[in-house]
Amino acid sequence: DNIRYLNFTKHWRDGISLVFFAADGNGTFTREALSGYIGRKVPVTGTVSDFKGALQIKIEKLDQLAVQP
């Protein structure tokens, strides 16, 4: 429950993942809040990093994400 992910491929190593640490979000990174991004195009701002050979972007606040209509 301390870390949440949004993956954009079936296997997280095949694409880039968004990583949400609960401590960073001050309670805003709930499953319910993040479920609104599933199946949507999500422009994101942040720094791309490597985690065990896979790309990720650490999200520190929800305004780093936007939803395209």
Side-chain angles (χ1 to χ4, degrees), residues 19-21 23-26 28-29 45 57-65:
V19 180
F20 304 81
F21 291 88
D24 292 339
N26 295 322
T28 60
F29 298 152
T45 58
I57 299 175
K58 180 181 175 189
I59 303 298
E60 296 174 344
K61 49 191 173 183
L62 286 179
D63 67 357
Q64 287 178 254
L65 288 79

Side-chain angles (χ1 to χ4, degrees), residues 4-59:
R4 303 209 190 287
Y5 303 91
L6 284 177
N7 299 318
F8 298 94
T9 57
K10 288 191 181 246
H11 190 277
W12 61 275
R13 288 190 183 268
D14 294 336
I16 194 162
S17 297
L18 303 183
V19 180
F20 304 81
F21 291 88
D24 292 339
N26 295 322
T28 60
F29 298 152
T30 64
R31 292 174 200 251
E32 295 78 21
L34 298 179
S35 69
Y37 298 102
I38 295 173
R40 310 286 300 271
K41 290 185 179 184
V42 183
V44 178
T45 58
T47 302
V48 176
S49 62
D50 177 272
F51 178 74
K52 296 184 179 181
L55 296 176
Q56 67 177 18
I57 299 175
K58 180 181 175 189
I59 303 298

